[in-house]
Amino acid sequence: MFLHEATLVDRNKVSLTDCLTNLYERYTTVEPYVKAFIHEDDLNTRLKSDYNILLEKFPDEKPAFFGIPFAIKDLIHVDGFPTRAGSMLPVNALTTKEGSFITNLRSMGAIFAGKTITEEFAYHSIIPTRNPHNIEHTAGGSSAGSAASVASGICPIAVGTQTLRSVIAPASFCGVVGFKPSYARIPSDGVILLSPSFDTIGFFTQDIKSMIYACSHLVPNWQSFHSDKRPILGVPNGIFMNLMFDDVRRAFENQLKTLEKKGYTIHFVDMPWDEQLVSGDAMIRMVQGEMAQVHENWFRQYEHLYGSSVKTAIKNGQAIPLEELEQLRNGQINLRIDLEKTKIKNGIDLWVTPAQGGVAPKGFEKTGWAGMTAVWSYAGLPTISLPLIKIDGMPLGFQCVGSHGNDEALLFWTKEIERDLIPE
């Protein structure tokens, strides 16, 4: 096990010199085993240079993330770093200028610990990243490197992206807090997208307090939220809750019983979606169709450099009619509206589910379990995974889902739920 506490809020009390020393020492101790980052030949020299620049830039008043090391998924352009996106394509074909999110991080004093490993173009490939809880198990999907960098204590915060499950699944598997904001709440310029109608920048921290602090600065137009009432919780009926192993179902049922004893009201609700959407391949087809559009020019020139899984996905996507893609995009908005109507009808504040149908699989081919996250991503809703329990020594996240645009309420109530679910 390669675990270590790295709380973002506490890091603000650590000197810049100590922060640099802690980062490099933890990196050199753990990274050879966890393999969360893309290798840099002279990391220590680069970090020292970055910290000197930071001291010159902010000699007096220190901004929100002064000296805080961020790990950045290697789909997100950062000036001074090549972008490889887990692929064999030429770096100069992929790399371009950083977007507004990274520029904003710089303005708040962040330091970049490095680029984290991702599956090829966030779709699929075998990656070297290992789960810090047990290196014989996967760390998750395409944001696995970012999740592992936080779980292992190298960084107090990391940035990833989610299409279907690539923030929530790695967070659940690695035992960290993972938050995917509402779709389009954070600008995605400067990111190599997989499916523009899904893709959302998200974050990993080791605790909910750190996540709230981070989001209050990183999510545009963040408004503080407070409520004296306990949220009313909704649990989906139907096929959705059958997409999990028995031990996960038992653990989740016990968590619901604990919440009821604490005074929470829980409603089991018939959902407004077609169950075929949850269990079928429509969302994958949509991702592949949009992927083919994103990669049209690269694929024409570099098809021979794509991995077999990604190449097949793009070719499948090329055959999907534009009319079908448009129907699926319209379905996203319709489902978002229908889910909100269902919440209002049943008096629900949050949906709650397991974050994954199982714990991290052993081995590295399978990087997650279908069913628990994709439909919420399809609707563009904000979701968060809390690391509250373990099954057979491996973490399992508790997922809370809010209303689109109400990310602040989701995080506030999630903090309350965490407090009531942690054993006394």
Side-chain angles (χ1 to χ4, degrees):
M1 293 172 62
F2 298 94
L3 308 175
H4 190 271
E5 185 176 355
T7 301
L8 175 61
V9 177
D10 289 346
R11 285 295 185 97
N12 289 320
K13 303 173 184 177
V14 177
S15 73
L16 199 57
T17 300
D18 287 344
C19 191
L20 172 59
T21 300
N22 293 341
L23 167 62
Y24 189 68
E25 287 182 353
R26 189 66 188 163
Y27 183 98
T28 54
T29 301
V30 173
E31 174 59 16
Y33 302 95
V34 175
K35 298 179 172 64
F37 288 87
I38 294 172
H39 176 74
E40 286 187 60
D41 288 333
D42 198 354
L43 173 64
N44 200 28
T45 299
R46 195 266 297 170
L47 287 174
K48 288 179 179 178
S49 174
D50 288 351
Y51 274 81
N52 287 332
I53 292 170
L54 194 65
L55 286 169
E56 293 177 3
K57 185 176 181 180
F58 301 104
D60 300 315
E61 185 176 353
K62 309 306 182 189
F65 297 116
F66 181 75
I68 299 296
F70 279 67
I72 307 294
K73 184 177 182 177
D74 192 30
L75 289 178
I76 302 171
H77 301 300
V78 180
D79 290 349
F81 292 80
T83 303
R84 297 178 177 87
S87 79
M88 297 299 294
L89 271 66
V91 166
N92 60 2
L94 297 178
T95 306
T96 186
K97 289 188 68 61
E98 67 189 27
S100 56
F101 174 78
I102 294 296
T103 299
N104 191 37
L105 272 184
R106 290 187 190 276
S107 73
M108 290 187 282
I111 286 289
F112 300 113
K115 289 289 203 77
T116 55
I117 288 172
T118 180
E119 293 176 299
E120 183 178 359
F121 292 112
Y123 187 79
H124 178 260
S125 61
I126 304 299
I127 61 175
T129 303
R130 301 296 185 250
N131 193 312
H133 290 262
N134 185 330
I135 60 174
E136 294 184 356
H137 290 248
T138 182
S142 69
S143 297
S146 291
S149 74
V150 172
S152 60
I154 297 174
C155 294
I157 184 167
V159 183
T161 62
Q162 177 158 309
T163 305
L164 297 175
R165 55 178 171 82
S166 292
V167 169
I168 299 302
S172 181
F173 290 169
C174 291
V176 296
V177 178
F179 174 57
K180 184 206 80 73
S182 296
Y183 174 74
R185 180 112 191 228
I186 296 178
S188 61
D189 56 303
V191 181
I192 294 178
L193 300 177
L194 172 61
S195 179
S197 296
F198 281 90
D199 293 340
T200 305
I201 288 175
F203 312 116
F204 302 92
T205 62
Q206 284 195 352
D207 58 272
I208 186 65
K209 184 178 179 181
S210 294
M211 184 62 76
I212 292 172
Y213 177 83
C215 290
S216 69
H217 293 89
L218 297 176
V219 178
N221 303 313
W222 189 266
Q223 303 291 325
S224 62
F225 176 89
H226 180 83
S227 175
D228 292 326
K229 76 162 191 170
R230 285 189 171 92
I232 297 174
L233 308 179
V235 178
N237 283 328
I239 193 172
F240 182 86
M241 295 306 293
N242 294 325
L243 299 173
M244 65 183 79
F245 292 103
D246 289 341
D247 52 1
V248 173
R249 182 178 296 103
R250 287 192 295 269
F252 180 61
E253 289 171 351
N254 287 335
Q255 288 174 318
L256 294 180
K257 290 177 183 177
T258 298
L259 290 171
E260 285 182 315
K261 290 178 182 178
K262 295 283 187 176
Y264 288 80
T265 299
I266 299 172
H267 295 314
F268 292 82
V269 180
D270 293 333
M271 303 304 287
W273 53 54
D274 181 348
E275 297 209 332
Q276 184 62 30
L277 176 68
V278 178
S279 61
D281 65 352
M283 286 183 281
I284 289 292
R285 284 179 60 81
M286 181 176 176
V287 169
Q288 291 177 344
E290 293 199 336
M291 189 179 180
Q293 295 174 343
V294 169
H295 285 263
E296 181 178 3
N297 293 331
W298 286 328
F299 197 68
R300 186 182 302 117
Q301 186 172 0
Y302 301 113
E303 178 181 346
H304 62 290
L305 296 179
Y306 281 78
S308 58
S309 293
V310 178
K311 185 183 297 185
T312 298
I314 291 173
K315 288 185 174 181
N316 288 344
Q318 290 171 338
I320 296 173
L322 295 179
E323 295 81 4
E324 180 180 345
L325 284 180
E326 192 59 30
Q327 288 175 357
L328 287 166
R329 292 188 187 110
N330 290 336
Q332 291 181 290
I333 304 301
N334 292 335
L335 180 58
R336 185 184 305 169
I337 293 169
D338 290 343
L339 282 169
E340 191 62 25
K341 289 179 179 177
T342 302
K343 286 181 69 176
I344 293 170
K345 178 181 177 182
N346 292 274
I348 289 168
D349 297 301
L350 299 179
W351 302 105
V352 294
T353 76
Q356 282 283 276
V359 297
K362 190 173 183 178
F364 310 106
E365 174 64 39
K366 187 173 183 61
T367 59
W369 306 103
M372 294 291 104
T373 63
V375 70
W376 310 115
S377 289
Y378 179 70
L381 304 186
T383 57
I384 188 167
S385 176
L386 293 174
L388 297 179
I389 62 170
K390 291 184 178 181
I391 296 176
D392 295 330
M394 298 302 292
L396 176 72
F398 184 88
Q399 180 176 226
C400 301
V401 184
S403 296
H404 185 269
N406 289 339
D407 305 46
E408 296 89 340
L410 171 63
L411 264 64
F412 175 84
W413 274 324
T414 297
K415 181 180 66 174
E416 302 297 299
I417 289 171
E418 179 192 56
R419 180 199 63 202
D420 289 328
L421 278 178
I422 293 176
E424 297 178 357

